[in-house]
Amino acid sequence: MTFEEQIQHFRGIVDDVSFPTVKEWKSKHTGGKVVGMFPVYTPYELPHALGMLPVGLLGAGGIIEIDHADSRIQSFVCSIARSTLELGLTDRVKDFDAVYFTSICDVARNLSGIWKANFPHQLVEYIHFPQNMESPSAVHHYRGELQRLLGNLEQLGGKKASADEVVRSIEAFNHNRSLCWRLHEIRQLTPWKLSTYEAYILLRIGTLLPVEEHTHILEGIIPLVESRETKQRDHVRVILEGSFCEQPPMELLQVIEEAGCYIVNDDLLLHSRWFTDPVPANGDPLLALAESYIQRSVSSSVRHYGLRSRKQALMNKVRSGQADGVIFSAPKFCEPALLDYVLFKDELEKNGIPYLAFEYEEKMSVFESIRMQIEAFVESVMFFT
Amino acid sequence: MSESKFKYQGVGREYQKKLLTAWNDRLQSAESDGRKVAYLFVPGNVAEFLRVFDFELVFPEVNALQCGVRKISGDYILKAEDVGYSPDVCGYVKNDIGMMLAGNVGPSGHKIPKPDLLLCTYCGCTTFIKWFEALAHYYDVPLVLLDIPYLRGSVIEETDRQYIVQQLKELIPLCEKMTGNKYNHDKLVEITKHAAEAEDLWVQILHSAKRKPSPFDSYFEAVFFMAPIYILRGLPECTDYYREAMKEIQERIEHGVGPIPEEKFRVVVEGPPPWPHFRSFWELLKRWGVCAVASSYSKVGGFWDHGFRHDPTRPLESIADYCLTCYTNQNLAMRTDLLKTYAEEYDADAILIHSVKSCRSFSVGQADMREQFLRKWDLPTLLVESDLADPRYFQIAQLRNRIDAFFESLEHKRLVHA
Ligand code: SF4
Ligand code: SF4
């Protein structure tokens, strides 16, 4: 398959809400357990260490109608929460043995409660990520939380994970993350070689496959990308911010680029490069994961950083990406994104960086007005700054 | 009711007002008197701890709800939307930011002092963090986050408790430096003693609603009666307040009267009130002789009625337990169970869910709860939607129709079964 054919092939898998890769994996692994991971970041290493398959549970991308979830979640809630529940209520995730939600927001947290009530046969976890980054006790507490999760998974799988097994999982994900970072670097340095849409598909397919397979795909594809002979265009360089949880329609990513932008940094599928450095693969592996979370992870609107400010992190992205502007693209009703927007835009204004903001929903299908807004934005950046 | 018969009528409301005015006066002069000011949230408020250092306490949520009651929240919300806040985010946050941008004069006309410390008690609401990050952005003052793990199981984990205790200990040097006052364990013991006394009395008031007719409305009245236990907990005047308020309730019991002329329906209420339309909402229910005999909203700042108290023999640990068990920090299964238990304990006819757009922490899951009440326990449940701060979402005609239809059908069922 050519590069383009591979992307097309992966897109087909991503769009198939019956989770074909899960079915295939289960047919090959009798008694194997599958763990669904709601965004933004979850410790994929834990189920992996027990030979389980962690799978991204990222909504339905506007592919299915929301019928049943409507009576369970009100209309003023983001689409990923509603469509994820719809996937559950329509039996599309019945092959999953466990589901993880995390403390990214009140919606995701309460969705974990709704899930528990509606799918009692699944192990439903709500992970409390530490928010007090300054507290020396946070590492210890989060390590305990990881231990609890691992213990519950061990019970589910009927076997224990040794420290060595967790270390090997850490290594597997470290390697995978380094390749995801490489894709990211290609986007930053030579965005004409790999569109954001293509990069997105390459990362997204990783949420549906065993990490080793994904790593194998990336190892094969990165050299292809590097040697691609694509023409550099006269685009403006932008940072895409706000699309960290609910997945933006893929057409939206394409529209942004077609309208004249290179997205040189973004917060899409952040879990794939959550840690800025490899998680130490020696010593206590759970402690290593906990310390990495607190001390060496990327900035995101779903966590508090204490004195390390997210505004600063955004400005660093602008500088390191040599970006001309920022595009805020937030899911409708998403408080973490919408509340951060105000602080971010103030910071950009202070620094004279142009920005554009709009909201999306999974079901969105008409992009013309957004296209026009982006084109106008691109023009203003090109000619007036 | 003749005046001679009711010596204590209105004491709960009046005394509460007096105390809050005195509190506001103290806040107003805090800056000029050099007293340090800490901002914190109602859920998980570690008032006892902060009082050891003589911090003056500001609760932005209380300001927001009072702006709602005084019908000025709408303008403040628009002001915040003007600077970029989305129509879809929490109205309390926008009210507060709008008020701050307009000069930070509180709803009672008092000037609200600037914070010296923003202590974000992350207790069951993630928006709390965003709210105080915004205040830190505008005021440029230190923000400390007290990380309170959400209850993942149905009991308190020792690790969660110790995590909070450790964080409080870690906070001591900062508080000492800021206020110049040393941490004093004996003082904390004394303060928690006062807190526990007030809690005992407050619980007696809450439990009085088990009587028929109930002498007290656990939602529409409780929201006023509960203010001192949130704002002044740990001070002797707080205990004094509940002693007086209890007299009012006692008097009502003696005369067999309650908040409405004739109690026809007893309901358990879930969710915060629509502050800008508080009276109208109450009236819609009073027409049907509805008394709220229990509510979850009166537990957001502390869940005492099933036994928990601040404990002078283990003050820090009990503060941690207090934070962990606030209603906002309880998971959906616990919340659902609690409402059902209330329905039994208080012999309620139905559950009324007031679902507010602003507060996803409260509202996401309520529709599912309703399904469970109906399906599992055959508990009549009405879910209505509006907002706690934003007057734009209160559609009175629609609410009236829903409420009337619901109680009509309850009445009908009663007649059929009689
Ligand atoms: S899209 Fe936003 S509001 Fe919705 S679950 Fe994700 S983080 Fe929460
Ligand atoms: S979301 Fe709810 S609990 Fe949180 S600040 Fe808003 S009103 Fe308060």
Side-chain angles (χ1 to χ4, degrees):
Chain A
M1 275 197 273
T2 63
F3 174 78
E4 286 74 17
E5 283 165 349
Q6 290 194 60
I7 295 291
Q8 198 53 37
H9 170 66
F10 297 146
R11 170 82 197 247
I13 300 173
V14 166
D15 280 348
D16 188 340
V17 288
S18 70
F19 293 97
T21 56
V22 170
K23 290 205 170 69
E24 194 188 325
W25 187 86
K26 277 222 154 178
S27 72
K28 286 188 197 149
H29 299 79
T30 318
K33 305 290 181 202
V34 171
V35 185
M37 306 293 214
F38 197 75
V40 173
Y41 160 79
T42 30
Y44 276 60
E45 288 85 351
L46 302 186
H48 181 268
L50 283 154
M52 299 176 178
L53 178 67
V55 172
L57 192 51
L58 310 178
I63 292 166
I64 58 172
E65 287 302 321
I66 309 293
D67 289 329
H68 308 74
D70 263 347
S71 65
R72 302 292 214 286
I73 299 189
Q74 292 94 319
S75 54
F76 47 75
V77 178
C78 59
S79 21
I80 186 174
R82 293 149 60 74
S83 72
T84 301
L85 183 61
E86 186 72 21
L87 288 175
L89 294 172
T90 49
D91 274 354
R92 288 173 163 104
V93 285
K94 65 174 186 309
D95 287 333
F96 290 44
D97 302 279
V99 181
Y100 277 13
F101 298 94
T102 66
S103 51
I104 53 171
C105 70
D106 303 331
V107 173
R109 183 196 67 205
N110 289 12
L111 183 57
S112 75
I114 298 176
W115 206 277
K116 249 188 198 152
N118 284 280
F119 309 104
H121 64 283
Q122 290 178 346
L123 167 68
V124 183
E125 296 281 17
Y126 172 71
I127 307 177
H128 177 84
F129 285 133
Q131 294 279 15
N132 184 351
M133 300 296 161
E134 257 85 56
S135 167
S137 321
V139 169
H140 177 69
H141 186 265
Y142 181 42
R143 194 208 170 280
E145 187 73 352
L146 291 168
Q147 185 77 65
R148 175 180 75 80
L149 296 165
L150 188 62
N152 289 348
L153 284 179
E154 287 174 340
Q155 230 176 356
L156 177 74
K159 62 172 181 183
K160 293 246 171 231
S162 69
D164 269 357
E165 281 166 324
V166 184
V167 167
R168 278 201 292 280
S169 292
I170 287 176
E171 284 168 342
F173 282 92
N174 275 346
H175 182 42
N176 185 268
R177 270 189 296 269
S178 74
L179 296 168
C180 296
W181 273 109
R182 175 64 196 133
L183 284 184
H184 176 71
E185 196 179 50
I186 293 174
R187 302 259 330 112
Q188 278 228 321
L189 300 176
T190 51
W192 50 92
K193 289 199 180 209
L194 181 70
S195 74
T196 297
Y197 165 71
E198 291 161 343
Y200 175 81
I201 293 285
L202 289 176
L203 296 179
R204 180 78 190 267
I205 193 69
T207 66
L208 296 165
L209 296 171
V211 63
E212 296 77 9
E213 266 181 57
H214 185 232
T215 296
H216 183 71
I217 291 171
L218 294 182
E219 280 171 342
I221 233 160
I222 287 173
L224 289 183
V225 173
E226 286 167 337
S227 61
R228 253 174 141 192
E229 301 273 344
T230 33
K231 212 170 124 242
Q232 179 174 357
R233 289 176 194 279
D234 192 15
H235 278 9
V236 301
R237 297 167 66 89
V238 299
I239 309 291
L240 185 73
E241 191 74 30
S243 310
F244 46 82
C245 177
E246 179 173 311
Q247 305 302 296
M250 287 180 245
E251 290 65 29
L252 179 60
L253 298 179
Q254 289 170 312
V255 164
I256 296 173
E257 294 190 316
E258 285 161 12
C261 299
Y262 281 136
I263 301 172
V264 292
N265 203 337
D266 58 62
D267 52 6
L268 294 162
L269 298 171
L270 262 191
H271 74 278
S272 63
R273 49 190 169 89
W274 189 258
F275 298 114
T276 50
D277 294 293
V279 178
N282 47 28
D284 173 358
L286 297 185
L287 189 65
L289 282 169
E291 281 178 348
S292 295
Y293 183 89
I294 289 168
Q295 293 155 11
R296 295 177 290 275
S297 49
V298 291
S299 178
S300 154
S301 283
V302 294
R303 47 185 296 204
H304 172 70
Y305 286 84
L307 299 176
R308 285 183 291 157
S309 143
R310 288 192 303 278
K311 291 182 283 183
Q312 210 42 53
L314 178 63
M315 282 311 299
N316 288 344
K317 277 193 206 176
V318 170
R319 289 195 193 101
S320 67
Q322 295 175 325
D324 305 300
V326 173
I327 292 184
F328 292 102
S329 150
K332 185 158 178 63
F333 301 120
C334 175
E335 287 204 303
L338 295 171
L339 288 167
D340 264 10
Y341 160 70
V342 184
L343 309 194
F344 283 160
K345 87 169 176 48
D346 283 1
E347 189 69 16
L348 294 175
E349 280 170 10
K350 212 169 81 191
N351 287 281
I353 309 288
Y355 62 88
L356 172 70
F358 49 76
E359 293 178 14
Y360 63 85
E361 286 183 273
E362 282 185 355
K363 270 260 172 262
M364 193 166 172
S365 56
V366 181
F367 300 95
E368 275 327 294
S369 102
I370 285 191
R371 184 191 296 274
M372 277 157 57
Q373 286 179 49
I374 300 169
E375 282 169 354
F377 175 69
V378 168
E379 265 177 44
S380 74
V381 170
M382 276 190 170
F383 301 115
F384 302 111
T385 52
Chain B
M1 295 183 195
S2 77
E3 287 201 5
S4 57
K5 207 163 119 189
F6 290 95
K7 229 168 94 202
Y8 295 101
Q9 190 184 2
V11 163
R13 284 295 296 275
E14 289 313 312
Y15 194 11
Q16 184 249 40
K17 268 192 208 152
K18 218 173 91 191
L19 285 174
L20 294 199
T21 307
W23 170 57
N24 278 321
D25 289 343
R26 241 184 13 242
L27 286 181
Q28 188 159 250
S29 62
E31 235 167 307
S32 54
D33 294 356
R35 278 171 284 131
K36 297 294 172 192
V37 176
Y39 279 30
L40 70 169
F41 288 104
V42 167
N45 76 70
V46 290
E48 291 79 2
F49 177 80
L50 292 171
R51 288 195 204 291
V52 172
F53 306 95
D54 293 334
F55 272 107
E56 292 295 348
L57 308 183
V58 170
F59 297 87
E61 287 163 295
V62 174
N63 297 332
L65 82 82
Q66 287 180 340
C67 288
V69 172
R70 285 171 203 248
K71 298 191 190 295
I72 47 177
S73 56
D75 288 343
Y76 287 150
I77 286 174
L78 290 178
K79 221 178 234 345
E81 290 180 5
D82 283 347
V83 300
Y85 283 94
S86 153
D88 294 322
V89 300
C90 171
Y92 265 21
V93 179
K94 286 187 286 189
N95 179 98
D96 194 40
I97 305 273
M99 189 178 80
M100 182 197 62
L101 294 173
N104 230 12
V105 174
S108 52
H110 289 76
K111 176 95 182 113
I112 297 173
K114 275 200 203 143
D116 296 291
L117 170 68
L118 293 163
L119 180 60
C120 177
T121 45
Y122 171 44
C123 180
C125 170
T126 316
T127 303
F128 283 170
I129 303 179
K130 299 285 172 197
W131 186 344
F132 270 23
E133 283 176 347
L135 294 188
H137 170 84
Y138 288 112
Y139 285 119
D140 200 16
V141 292
L143 161 60
V144 175
L145 192 140
L146 185 70
D147 190 9
I148 298 161
Y150 189 64
L151 291 183
R152 279 89 83 223
S154 53
V155 291
I156 293 178
E157 297 293 339
E158 185 57 29
T159 46
D160 289 353
R161 177 184 289 134
Q162 286 313 324
Y163 180 34
I164 298 173
V165 170
Q166 283 310 322
Q167 291 178 76
L168 289 171
K169 287 183 180 161
E170 288 158 14
L171 195 54
I172 290 173
L174 177 73
C175 294
E176 287 182 336
K177 195 167 151 224
M178 216 169 236
T179 59
N181 296 328
K182 282 268 160 229
Y183 174 75
N184 177 337
H185 187 75
D186 294 340
K187 191 169 170 187
L188 182 63
V189 168
E190 204 49 40
I191 293 169
T192 40
K193 229 185 252 168
H194 288 307
E197 279 166 13
E199 288 159 2
D200 272 340
L201 290 159
W202 172 228
V203 168
Q204 283 178 35
I205 295 177
L206 290 172
H207 282 177
S208 75
K210 289 183 183 171
R211 295 173 167 269
K212 286 183 182 176
S214 167
F216 175 66
D217 190 292
S218 275
Y219 188 63
F220 292 101
E221 289 191 295
V223 294
F224 297 103
F225 278 66
M226 72 190 189
I229 200 110
Y230 295 166
I231 296 168
L232 305 169
R233 206 178 58 239
L235 300 176
E237 55 260 45
C238 179
T239 319
D240 191 44
Y241 168 80
Y242 287 101
R243 231 176 256 126
E244 291 301 303
M246 192 58 218
K247 287 183 191 158
E248 181 178 357
I249 301 298
Q250 205 55 51
E251 189 175 74
R252 290 186 193 180
I253 295 171
E254 278 159 24
H255 294 94
V257 299
I260 38 172
E262 191 193 348
E263 177 183 295
K264 289 196 193 131
F265 295 103
R266 298 165 67 82
V267 299
V268 173
V269 185
E270 149 77 9
W275 293 115
H277 297 278
F278 184 82
R279 289 264 148 216
S280 324
F281 189 50
W282 196 0
E283 287 305 324
L284 291 180
L285 294 158
K286 274 186 179 168
R287 291 162 65 235
W288 285 95
V290 176
C291 179
V293 287
S295 73
S296 53
Y297 186 67
S298 52
K299 318 295 154 50
V300 292
F303 180 57
W304 294 285
D305 53 339
H306 284 170
F308 166 76
R309 298 288 179 274
H310 278 89
D311 184 351
T313 65
R314 45 192 281 285
L316 288 177
E317 285 77 6
S318 72
I319 290 175
D321 289 1
Y322 156 79
C323 296
L324 286 162
T325 53
C326 281
Y327 185 71
T328 50
N329 205 47
Q330 300 190 13
N331 60 51
L332 274 190
M334 296 174 81
R335 284 171 56 188
T336 311
D337 273 354
L338 180 67
L339 294 169
K340 183 197 150 244
T341 307
Y342 277 162
E344 288 162 3
E345 285 180 352
Y346 290 80
D347 198 15
D349 304 291
I351 294 192
L352 168 64
I353 302 177
H354 180 240
S355 188
V356 299
K357 177 181 174 183
S358 270
C359 186
R360 273 78 172 188
S361 171
F362 247 113
S363 58
V364 175
Q366 285 173 333
D368 194 62
M369 277 180 178
R370 175 177 172 273
E371 292 283 317
Q372 293 190 59
F373 293 141
L374 293 170
R375 215 168 1 106
K376 283 200 206 153
W377 301 302
D378 200 20
L379 246 173
T381 305
L382 172 67
L383 186 149
V384 291
E385 284 179 12
S386 77
D387 199 58
L388 47 57
D390 198 326
R392 292 171 292 190
Y393 297 112
F394 190 83
Q395 311 288 348
I396 188 143
Q398 217 176 54
L399 286 170
R400 187 186 296 116
N401 288 343
R402 303 281 321 277
I403 289 173
D404 287 355
F406 182 77
F407 287 101
E408 237 166 63
S409 102
L410 275 192
E411 197 164 57
H412 179 74
K413 262 192 219 153
R414 239 184 221 172
L415 285 174
V416 174
H417 287 286

